[in-house]
Amino acid sequence: MLAAYGALLSLVAAIGLVLTMVTGEFAAGVARPGFWLLAGLAVLADARAFIATGRRGRPVLICPSLCFTFAILLCWGLGPAIAVQAIAAGVVAWRMRYPPTRAVLMAAQFAVASTAAFGVLAFGSDDLLRTINASDAARDVVSVVGAAAVWLVTYQLLRALAGLTTRGRTTAQVLRPVPSYELLFIAALLLLAPVLAATAYISIAFVPLIFVPLYAVEHMARLASERDLMARRDPLTNLANRSGLAAAFNRLRPNGSDAAHDAPGLAMLLVDLNRFKYVNDALGHEVGDRLLIAVGQRLRSALTADATAARLGGDEFAVVAPATTEADARGLAEAITDAMSTPVVLDGLQVDITGSIGIALAPTDGEDFATVMRHADVAMYLAKQRGWPIQTYRAEDDHNSPERLALLTDFRHALETGEGKVALHYQPQVDLPSGRVVGFEALLRWEHPTQGPIPPYELLRIAEHTPVMRMITQRVIDEVIAQQARWLAAGVSLRTSLNVSIRDLHGEEIVDQITKRLAEYRVPADLIQVEITESALTADLAQLRATIDRIAAAGVAISLDDFGTGYSSLQHLRRLPLSEIKIDRSFVAGIAHNADDAVIVRSTVDLARALGLRVVAEGVENRYTARLLTEAGCDVAQGYLYAPAMPGDAVIAWLGRHPTPA
């Protein structure tokens, strides 16, 4: 189809050229010495045509000869301009190693655009360079500017039509906006032509001076092209950046329902390097940058020509590639893993490269770039949590659905305004040998205005990695210590545990807040206990240790929650200033009927006793479980056997009315 289009365009251009030759216009033009000078300069200018990298990664070619051929059009008519432009197109094709058909198509496009512009020039004077009066001059300026505009519009339309006739190109791809620097450069060449024509009319000796402004215009266009390219490139690895990745995604799956429906499937792969921070800390950022460059090179080597690799920042990379099935995407991920399996040698050291790869597919996991990227991000973080090299997105693993995000927004609003029913309830903790209440655990409760009570685990799961988690912790600290002060005033002195997240342990604000509130309410520090989850210790313990030590130094006890679920090292139990460990309810619930759970519970109790730690069992629902825990040597229990969590104001009355069962 493109060949037929080129043939038709060439026929139209040839007819225009023949007509100008028949009328004698061509012979009149070529008889002038100025014509030959401009023609020679046009061919010479195209010997170094301006080449930039377009948004699709393909070279964008702009021919400086346009300035000279448009001047010839103004001075000597259409025929000479078409002839010179055809020769210049041949020079460009030879330089760029284009096939002859491409040269013919270029020449034909220029010829038809010039013919359209020549038609507009008919509204000006018969001789543009011999202006009689001011009105003629104004009319000539308007006609020349109009001719340049028509040339530019016609040429862009012809390029778009050529794109539509190219197999595999969609309408959205063809109609994507042309880079601004390209349009400005072409417009500058066209508007320099009248200056060149007037210069040639006065004296051809001044014509070569046009190369100075021509070079300046080309230099500015080149800088704009490079700036446009750098806006889509990562300067360190020379891979695409997020903008370049989005452009690659949109090329493969253009906007619009029809275009997206016809587009092939694609895979988005997010690659996050493991333990990259240790390389930076141990060897320095310069070595870390060299490692990132090596990763970028290996990433490129693992991809086919139709795939795009990008660095999103830090040690996070991404790939967009055509993929019809999940198996295709996994095959690409495995190729990337294989490419990075060989250690990189940096300063004589062999550095192993491993990464976690999350995969999302379009259109299965989303139609637009933002959605597919977010789903790949969810899969990547899940891979890191599970210690797997590759993880494909599953909707059931996504805890960040729009509904959950809306829930988080409502909860934030409730915390900030106090309009929602956000409260703390307190669940008793009972000494197993004596049956005496020894403390409480503060548990968050929220009743949504329309959805009713929201399960705490659901709320904390979506808030864990957001600033809302810090708001929750601040609220809990303030309310627990204030409640302790009220209990002390009523004669009740029992320890209360409150939960904090890993985010809270990365700074010293939590320590300052606890000590400030303890002093403000005059609450002894030993009545407050901070619970940290065991999973937090799988992070960089060195960053958390300082905060944990400061909390303990303030006299506040530290409890390790959910013990047995976080895969932490036993060294943590020895190195951290812990007072107790809490056995996760999943093990407690199975102690009565699962021999493995019973062994885990007894082993945990023995280990804790050897280290001088108190043991608390969560989720005790019946007396039989309580008896087995007592026999195993467990110290404290909490659960519905004793009481559900209750508001703080109800604790004193409950202590008086409900003796604790032994």
Side-chain angles (χ1 to χ4, degrees):
M1 193 173 180
L2 180 62
Y5 167 78
L8 178 62
L9 208 60
S10 301
L11 178 62
V12 172
I15 292 174
L17 180 61
V18 169
L19 289 176
T20 57
M21 293 178 68
V22 170
T23 58
E25 182 185 81
F26 187 86
V30 298
R32 305 289 181 89
F35 164 77
W36 291 105
L37 177 61
L38 291 184
L41 292 177
V43 174
L44 179 65
D46 269 7
R48 59 179 308 272
F50 172 58
I51 303 172
T53 302
R55 292 178 181 173
R56 298 164 189 165
R58 300 174 181 173
V60 174
L61 181 67
I62 305 176
C63 300
S65 61
L66 175 60
C67 177
F68 299 96
T69 56
F70 197 70
I72 291 173
L73 179 71
L74 298 177
C75 291
W76 298 296
L78 180 62
I82 292 177
V84 173
Q85 192 63 69
I87 297 172
V91 171
V92 172
W94 169 78
R95 181 196 171 196
M96 299 295 295
R97 298 181 182 179
Y98 289 153
T101 53
R102 177 74 180 272
V104 172
L105 178 61
M106 289 172 55
Q109 288 174 333
F110 276 99
V112 173
S114 298
T115 302
F118 190 69
V120 176
L121 290 175
F123 293 97
S125 303
D126 292 337
D127 191 342
L128 292 174
L129 302 179
R130 292 183 180 180
T131 301
I132 305 301
N133 51 48
S135 62
D136 287 341
R139 187 180 64 177
D140 290 346
V141 169
V142 171
S143 65
V144 170
V145 173
V150 168
W151 194 101
L152 182 60
V153 171
T154 303
Y155 181 67
Q156 295 301 327
L157 288 175
L158 292 173
R159 286 177 59 180
L161 288 173
L164 288 175
T165 58
T166 302
R167 185 175 301 176
R169 299 282 299 281
T170 65
T171 304
Q173 289 174 321
V174 171
L175 299 182
R176 187 175 289 115
V178 177
S180 58
Y181 67 83
E182 182 181 349
L183 292 177
L184 288 174
F185 190 24
I186 295 177
L189 292 175
L190 290 169
L191 295 179
L192 274 175
V195 178
L196 179 60
T199 303
Y201 183 79
I202 296 172
S203 172
I204 60 174
F206 294 105
V207 169
L209 296 179
I210 197 65
F211 277 102
V212 176
L214 194 62
Y215 172 78
V217 171
E218 178 184 336
H219 184 65
M220 287 187 290
R222 193 179 300 277
L223 291 178
S225 168
E226 292 173 356
R227 186 172 62 249
D228 186 69
L229 177 62
M230 291 307 297
R232 295 173 283 111
R233 287 281 170 184
D234 173 58
L236 178 64
T237 62
N238 202 32
L239 299 176
N241 59 13
R242 186 178 295 269
S243 297
L245 188 71
F249 181 97
N250 292 328
R251 284 199 304 272
L252 294 172
R253 294 198 64 80
N255 296 327
S257 56
D258 293 339
H261 182 270
D262 297 334
L266 62 81
M268 172 82 72
L269 282 70
L270 250 60
V271 185
D272 189 84
L273 302 185
N274 298 327
R275 297 180 297 279
F276 176 73
K277 180 181 181 300
Y278 298 143
V279 176
N280 267 347
D281 293 345
L283 303 178
H285 290 278
E286 182 180 351
V287 176
D289 287 347
R290 287 162 52 195
L291 178 61
L292 294 175
I293 293 172
V295 170
Q297 292 170 346
R298 295 191 179 189
L299 203 57
R300 267 193 295 256
S301 68
L303 303 179
T304 56
D306 52 1
T308 299
R311 177 174 174 244
L312 304 181
D315 60 346
E316 192 171 56
F317 295 80
V319 172
V320 164
T324 306
T325 64
E326 180 180 328
D328 294 338
R330 278 191 167 272
L332 180 59
E334 290 169 358
I336 293 173
T337 301
D338 291 342
M340 294 194 299
S341 60
T342 305
V344 177
V345 179
L346 300 172
D347 291 345
L349 296 176
Q350 288 191 342
V351 179
D352 290 315
I353 308 174
T354 61
S356 301
I357 302 178
I359 300 173
L361 299 172
T364 307
D365 300 322
E367 291 281 356
D368 61 282
F369 173 76
T371 301
V372 178
M373 169 71 83
R374 184 176 68 81
H375 289 167
D377 192 53
V378 169
M380 185 268 290
Y381 274 106
L382 188 60
K384 290 190 80 70
Q385 290 174 5
R386 294 176 174 176
W388 296 351
I390 302 170
Q391 173 66 48
T392 305
Y393 175 78
R394 298 284 184 269
E396 58 268 21
D397 296 326
D398 190 355
H399 305 311
N400 300 303
S401 64
E403 294 77 13
R404 289 190 174 98
L405 293 179
L407 192 68
L408 184 63
T409 300
D410 293 342
F411 183 65
R412 178 197 286 270
H413 179 75
L415 285 173
E416 292 174 340
T417 63
E419 297 176 0
K421 296 181 179 179
V422 180
L424 287 179
H425 285 192
Y426 299 83
Q427 187 171 44
Q429 296 178 331
V430 175
D431 180 72
L432 279 171
S434 66
R436 182 173 53 88
V437 177
V438 294
F440 292 88
E441 180 183 3
L443 301 171
L444 188 67
R445 296 290 184 266
W446 178 45
E447 186 172 345
H448 191 273
T450 59
Q451 300 181 37
I454 304 299
Y457 69 86
E458 176 74 12
L459 185 60
L460 295 176
R461 184 165 57 180
I462 62 175
E464 175 69 27
H465 300 291
T466 72
V468 175
M469 194 67 220
R470 183 155 293 174
M471 297 172 61
I472 294 173
T473 302
Q474 292 171 349
R475 173 77 170 266
V476 168
I477 291 173
D478 289 348
E479 291 201 8
V480 165
I481 296 178
Q483 183 63 63
Q484 274 286 8
R486 291 192 291 270
W487 287 341
L488 284 172
V492 175
S493 179
L494 294 171
R495 180 187 65 248
T496 302
S497 297
L498 58 90
N499 294 275
V500 300
S501 76
I502 186 174
R503 289 175 63 92
D504 303 309
L505 300 176
H506 279 285
E508 298 185 350
E509 294 89 349
I510 183 175
V511 186
D512 296 336
Q513 186 183 5
I514 290 175
T515 54
K516 182 179 179 180
R517 292 293 180 264
L518 288 174
E520 179 183 348
Y521 288 99
R522 298 181 180 179
V523 172
D526 60 358
L527 291 183
I528 299 297
Q529 180 170 266
V530 169
E531 293 188 7
I532 59 176
T533 60
E534 189 189 14
S535 59
L537 304 185
T538 60
D540 188 354
L541 183 59
Q543 294 184 2
L544 312 181
R545 179 69 184 268
T547 303
I548 295 173
D549 286 344
R550 282 198 63 198
I551 293 173
V556 176
I558 306 292
S559 173
L560 187 60
D561 197 9
D562 299 334
F563 185 76
T565 63
Y567 310 105
S568 65
S569 169
L570 293 179
Q571 288 189 5
H572 296 153
L573 302 182
R574 180 174 58 85
R575 295 168 56 191
L576 291 176
L578 300 175
S579 297
E580 74 174 27
I581 59 176
K582 300 184 73 173
I583 304 175
D584 187 68
R585 65 180 63 247
S586 62
F587 300 116
V588 173
I591 190 174
H593 54 78
N594 188 302
D596 292 337
D597 287 345
V599 170
I600 291 174
V601 170
R602 285 194 297 269
S603 300
T604 302
V605 171
D606 292 341
L607 176 64
R609 284 190 175 279
L611 295 172
L613 302 177
R614 183 173 55 248
V615 182
V616 179
E618 298 181 294
V620 179
E621 310 292 340
N622 55 72
R623 287 186 172 84
Y624 182 57
T625 299
R627 183 165 63 83
L628 292 176
L629 289 168
T630 304
E631 293 172 354
C634 187
D635 300 302
V636 179
Q638 69 182 85
Y640 280 99
L641 171 63
Y642 307 104
M646 64 192 77
D649 295 340
V651 166
I652 296 176
W654 178 86
L655 288 172
R657 295 195 309 265
H658 295 81
T660 305

